[in-house]
Amino acid sequence: MSSPATVGRTDAPPAPPASRPDAAAASGRAGGFGGRRRYHEVDLLRLLAAVGVVGFHFLFRSSTTDPVLADTGFRDPGGVFHYGNIGVPLFFVISGFVILNSAWNRSAVSFLASRVGRLYPAFWTACTLTAVVMAFDPTDRFTVSFTQWATNLSMFSEAYGVDYVDGVYWTLTIELAFYLIMLAFVRIGLTTNRIIGFCLGWLALSMVHAYIPAPDWLQLVLVPSWAPYFVAGMLFSLIARDGWKWKYVLPLGAAYLCCGRWAIHYFNALSDKYDVVYSPIVIAVVVTAIFAVFAAISSGYTLPGAAKVAFLAGLTYPLYLIHENIGFIALDLLHSDMGINRYLVLAAVLLGVGAIAWALHVGVENRFSRPLANLITRTWTRIRGVLRARVPALVG
């Protein structure tokens, strides 16, 4: 059944054509256009991005800051791990693809509830655990206050000028901004023309921002520095559902150019911060590879056996939340203070944060995400019923 937002609209996306390789799967497994199917290849990309970020933190960033965050004995072995932070832009492309795919034919309340349920239970737990470990940090590298922890629980402490409990949380603020943008779309009605128009406008803002910095409030709300990655993911999501059309291809080409420009800018800033050289050729090749892989996925190509290991992607979010400061403290304590072999320490810490991530996934995400989403939906339904009874014109 179509939502009120798409009934009668000529620009609402049609069902995938039967000739496309993924048409049967999209129709049979997800209920046709507007349904939500699982892309196991995207799950693997999410896992790859998480591994890259963990490698960047443990094998490069930890020992290259001043003062060092953790004396691990590793300083970018092979000269490759400083590229691991490419996982961050990849996360945003994945988010654009997945979130738009999940938003079709959903009410605003359903979309908001699903996002809150997905993000917050694991985040609240990880933030609290990280704060406790930092409060009793035997290496004295990290400190945290009660106010800082409490403010961080909102997930947008940056808006209040409060430092993050863990440095990786900065990307969550950007994700929240994107979710709010998508929530607005869901509320007014998702159509392909509206999405394309917004994507073009968002890319234009991003390029203007590259030369004339936007006000701080606009950067917080519309994240122009990261917009091209979300746009790319959204356009690939449309292509996956509707096939390759010029109205998607041309904006996608613009997004590709913008992603390349902002990726080089981002890694140039990291070059200055960490005093290491990032090759623009490597960055361009990686960005091109990301687009090529998503083009293949959007065209319906599948990776044999992907479903068998894609379940590990369920660990990526809790692993991302939990690994950095707790990992730094453990690495420094075991290697620097206790003198244990660095390879044994690295293996032990990886296993440790992996085990914590698994516990968060199984014990928190699987147990509380859906109930929280259902609670939000039920609460709003009751509130709306009361408002409708008392102020019909207000609710409609």
Side-chain angles (χ1 to χ4, degrees):
M1 178 179 295
S2 299
S3 70
T6 58
V7 171
R9 293 191 181 277
T10 58
D11 61 330
S19 60
R20 295 188 58 224
D22 60 332
S27 298
R29 292 165 51 195
F33 194 91
R36 288 170 283 278
R37 58 163 290 201
R38 191 79 182 183
Y39 290 86
H40 297 297
E41 293 74 21
V42 175
D43 287 334
L44 293 181
L45 287 177
R46 184 185 290 114
L47 184 62
L48 177 64
V51 170
V53 171
V54 171
F56 172 82
H57 286 146
F58 285 2
L59 297 174
F60 172 69
R61 181 172 183 259
S62 59
S63 299
T64 55
T65 56
D66 186 18
V68 297
L69 295 167
D71 183 6
T72 65
F74 296 102
R75 292 184 64 88
D76 195 17
V80 297
F81 288 96
H82 63 287
Y83 286 104
N85 223 30
I86 292 175
V88 172
L90 176 55
F91 272 132
F92 294 148
V93 178
I94 292 171
S95 186
F97 184 92
V98 171
I99 299 306
L100 178 58
N101 186 53
S102 70
W104 292 103
N105 293 341
R106 264 191 164 159
S107 68
V109 174
S110 173
F111 176 79
L112 178 62
S114 69
R115 291 299 91 203
V116 172
R118 173 71 177 89
L119 292 183
Y120 277 93
F123 175 74
W124 288 332
T125 307
C127 182
T128 301
L129 179 59
T130 300
V132 170
V133 173
M134 291 170 62
F136 295 96
D137 173 19
T139 69
D140 294 324
R141 297 286 173 88
F142 300 96
T143 59
V144 64
S145 68
F146 177 84
T147 301
Q148 182 185 6
W149 165 77
T151 306
N152 268 249
L153 293 181
S154 67
M155 206 183 282
F156 47 87
S157 60
E158 182 179 346
Y160 304 110
V162 176
D163 290 338
Y164 297 112
V165 168
D166 195 305
V168 298
Y169 296 169
W170 70 271
T171 61
L172 300 181
T173 303
I174 294 172
E175 287 283 349
L176 281 179
F178 176 61
Y179 292 166
L180 290 175
I181 290 170
M182 290 305 304
L183 178 63
F185 263 113
V186 172
R187 182 66 183 87
I188 65 175
L190 277 172
T191 67
T192 55
N193 286 351
R194 285 176 178 173
I195 293 170
I196 293 171
F198 174 77
C199 286
L200 290 173
W202 208 8
L203 288 176
L205 172 64
S206 176
M207 293 314 298
V208 171
H209 172 65
Y211 301 98
I212 305 175
D216 290 345
W217 67 268
L218 190 60
Q219 293 187 46
L220 189 63
V221 174
L222 291 179
V223 290
S225 299
W226 304 101
Y229 305 109
F230 291 113
V231 168
M234 294 168 72
L235 291 171
F236 278 123
S237 180
L238 291 178
I239 292 168
R241 291 174 170 270
D242 199 19
W244 289 86
K245 297 183 177 182
W246 283 113
K247 66 177 182 178
Y248 303 146
V249 173
L250 295 179
L252 186 62
Y256 171 72
L257 295 176
C258 291
C259 284
R261 189 257 182 257
W262 276 110
I264 291 174
H265 173 81
Y266 173 59
F267 285 99
N268 281 343
L270 290 185
S271 294
D272 296 337
K273 182 176 181 179
Y274 296 115
D275 193 26
V276 65
V277 175
Y278 285 91
S279 168
I281 295 177
V282 172
I283 301 302
V285 168
V286 173
V287 170
T288 301
I290 291 172
F291 272 69
V293 170
F294 268 96
I297 293 172
S298 301
S299 298
Y301 294 100
T302 59
L303 183 65
K308 296 180 180 180
V309 295
F311 72 94
L312 292 173
L315 304 181
T316 57
Y317 180 53
L319 177 63
Y320 185 80
L321 293 175
I322 208 73
H323 80 275
E324 189 176 40
N325 283 359
I326 290 178
F328 287 159
I329 291 171
L331 288 166
D332 195 70
L333 177 65
L334 295 175
H335 175 69
S336 180
D337 293 357
M338 300 180 66
I340 301 175
N341 178 275
R342 60 179 178 170
Y343 292 99
L344 292 177
V345 169
L346 178 63
V349 172
L350 287 173
L351 286 173
V353 296
I356 296 173
W358 178 83
L360 282 176
H361 177 59
V362 174
V364 177
E365 286 188 304
N366 288 353
R367 181 171 297 184
F368 297 107
S369 292
R370 187 176 296 276
L372 178 58
N374 291 339
L375 175 62
I376 293 171
T377 302
R378 289 196 306 269
T379 301
W380 169 245
T381 300
R382 292 171 183 168
I383 292 174
R384 189 178 186 188
V386 172
L387 291 176
R388 270 183 167 172
R390 296 185 178 181
V391 194
L394 180 63
V395 181

